Amino acid sequence: MNLFHHGLLRFQQFFTQPIPVAPLGIFRLLIAGFVLLQAALWYPDWEAFVGSEGWVQWEISKAFNHSWHVHLQDVYVLLRPWGINDGQFIYLFFVVYVVSATGLLLGILTRFWAICTWACHYVLMSSLPTYVYGVDIFLHISLFYLMVMPAAKAFSLDAYWGWVNSAPDWASTLAIRVLQIHLCLAYFSAGYEKMLYTNWWEGDVLWRAVIQPDFRQFGVYWLSEVPWLVMLLSWFTMFIETFYFIGMWVPRLRVFWLLAMIGLHVGIGLFLGLYLFGLIMILMSVSAFGYDAWQDVKAWGKQEKPRAVIA
């Protein structure tokens, strides 16, 4: 019975015992910065992306949506009585999106700007269904977390000016744990599912990905002469993803696992051209486990035992 109560106490402490709030601030800074980077990349073709007569006209993109989705056209209808044409509207929307992300980055009225950024991104996802893929989904998840998490506790003007209590508490611990567990489940699901297919064990999926025209970035046909290398890279991918939920919790493994995960996503960006997807996944892992990994590195430098998950 004592063992049961001890285990229950440890479980409760894992989610409620105050821990440093720095990961929340890092998460907010990295995700808000990513939003601004993505917006800057979009801007040269903004009208072509989201304009009423762009690459995918509003009538077509709206037809792909469910009736409960909020499309750019729905927002425009609300503002049209003010004499704004559709061309002016899409750039006004862009300004609101950028201002919201900037407010989130600075951490001033953090929750308000987090809600605004999430809402703008939701409208964009609903308006561009043909362009939505993994990067948009994980960014949207991150923005949702920032709406409900106490993300202003660290590295924010709200904390600097005393508008929020920056002291660690159970809510900040719970927020960090939810992000960490979410990533563990996501990677385990991705890795385990890959293991169910023979094509992944043989390296065939990886080979086809790097040579097909839609993704090919370099002439890597020479890999056909070293099939064992493609197979090893495929095994590495499955291993790192599936056992992420273990490697990230073991102090003496965490640094190497994080570096391996960063290397994996850098490879995805370089060889498949999925730069933004690779970047958002790196930023999420760094946000969730980067602070703990850095504490491990500092502990090694001091020749101390790395800090455990629960003090």
Side-chain angles (χ1 to χ4, degrees), residues 16-82:
T16 61
Q17 181 174 293
I19 59 176
V21 296
L24 291 174
I26 294 170
F27 184 46
R28 192 195 78 252
L29 291 172
L30 293 180
I31 296 304
F34 182 89
V35 171
L36 293 173
L37 172 63
Q38 188 182 51
L41 295 175
W42 276 345
Y43 183 75
D45 297 308
W46 183 248
E47 192 167 352
F49 268 118
V50 304
S52 59
E53 300 298 327
W55 290 326
V56 180
Q57 291 80 18
W58 282 358
E59 289 79 7
I60 297 175
S61 59
K62 191 170 175 59
F64 283 116
N65 285 344
H66 296 289
S67 58
W68 47 268
H69 283 167
V70 180
H71 192 277
L72 275 166
Q73 188 176 32
D74 300 323
V75 182
Y76 171 60
V77 168
L78 297 176
L79 297 180
R80 187 167 51 190
W82 295 84

Side-chain angles (χ1 to χ4, degrees), residues 285-296:
S285 280
V286 169
S287 298
F289 295 102
Y291 179 82
D292 288 333
W294 178 240
Q295 299 309 306
D296 294 341

Side-chain angles (χ1 to χ4, degrees), residues 29-265:
L29 291 172
L30 293 180
I31 296 304
F34 182 89
V35 171
L36 293 173
L37 172 63
Q38 188 182 51
L41 295 175
W42 276 345
Y43 183 75
D45 297 308
W46 183 248
E47 192 167 352
F49 268 118
V50 304
S52 59
E53 300 298 327
W55 290 326
V56 180
Q57 291 80 18
W58 282 358
E59 289 79 7
I60 297 175
S61 59
K62 191 170 175 59
F64 283 116
N65 285 344
H66 296 289
S67 58
W68 47 268
H69 283 167
V70 180
H71 192 277
L72 275 166
Q73 188 176 32
D74 300 323
V75 182
Y76 171 60
V77 168
L78 297 176
L79 297 180
R80 187 167 51 190
W82 295 84
I84 300 175
N85 61 46
D86 57 345
Q88 294 170 329
F89 163 72
I90 62 171
Y91 283 102
L92 175 62
F93 187 91
F94 182 84
V95 170
V96 171
Y97 188 42
V98 169
V99 169
S100 299
T102 302
L104 180 60
L105 179 72
L106 296 175
I108 180 171
L109 301 176
T110 305
R111 196 175 302 278
F112 171 77
W113 290 119
I115 293 171
C116 290
T117 308
W118 177 89
C120 288
H121 190 260
Y122 167 74
V123 173
L124 288 174
M125 287 185 65
S126 299
S127 305
L128 303 170
T130 52
Y131 302 120
V132 170
Y133 71 112
V135 61
D136 306 292
I137 294 170
F138 278 100
L139 177 57
H140 202 60
I141 291 170
S142 298
L143 290 173
F144 175 81
Y145 279 153
L146 288 173
M147 282 200 308
V148 298
M149 290 177 172
K153 279 183 172 289
F155 313 128
S156 70
L157 291 177
D158 285 341
Y160 180 76
W161 288 331
W163 293 356
V164 298
N165 182 0
S166 59
D169 55 20
W170 70 267
S172 57
T173 299
L174 179 62
I176 295 169
R177 297 307 188 209
V178 167
L179 176 61
Q180 292 172 331
I181 292 172
H182 186 140
L183 284 174
C184 288
L185 292 174
Y187 277 117
F188 175 78
S189 175
Y192 177 71
E193 187 174 0
K194 290 179 176 67
M195 288 185 171
L196 298 178
Y197 295 94
T198 304
N199 288 347
W200 268 99
W201 287 100
E202 295 174 347
D204 186 58
V205 173
L206 194 59
W207 163 250
R208 291 179 181 275
V210 297
I211 66 169
Q212 66 171 297
D214 289 344
F215 296 110
R216 186 178 67 241
Q217 304 295 308
F218 307 101
V220 291
Y221 293 103
W222 57 270
L223 286 173
S224 62
E225 300 177 5
V226 283
W228 58 267
L229 178 58
V230 182
M231 189 179 300
L232 284 179
L233 290 172
S234 186
W235 292 357
F236 169 79
T237 300
M238 291 188 290
F239 180 77
I240 291 299
E241 290 185 346
T242 305
F243 297 104
Y244 181 98
F245 76 100
I246 295 177
M248 287 300 194
W249 295 107
V250 180
R252 294 192 180 278
L253 286 179
R254 183 161 40 217
V255 174
F256 301 106
W257 221 277
L258 182 59
L259 291 175
M261 186 56 66
I262 291 173
L264 172 64
H265 287 296

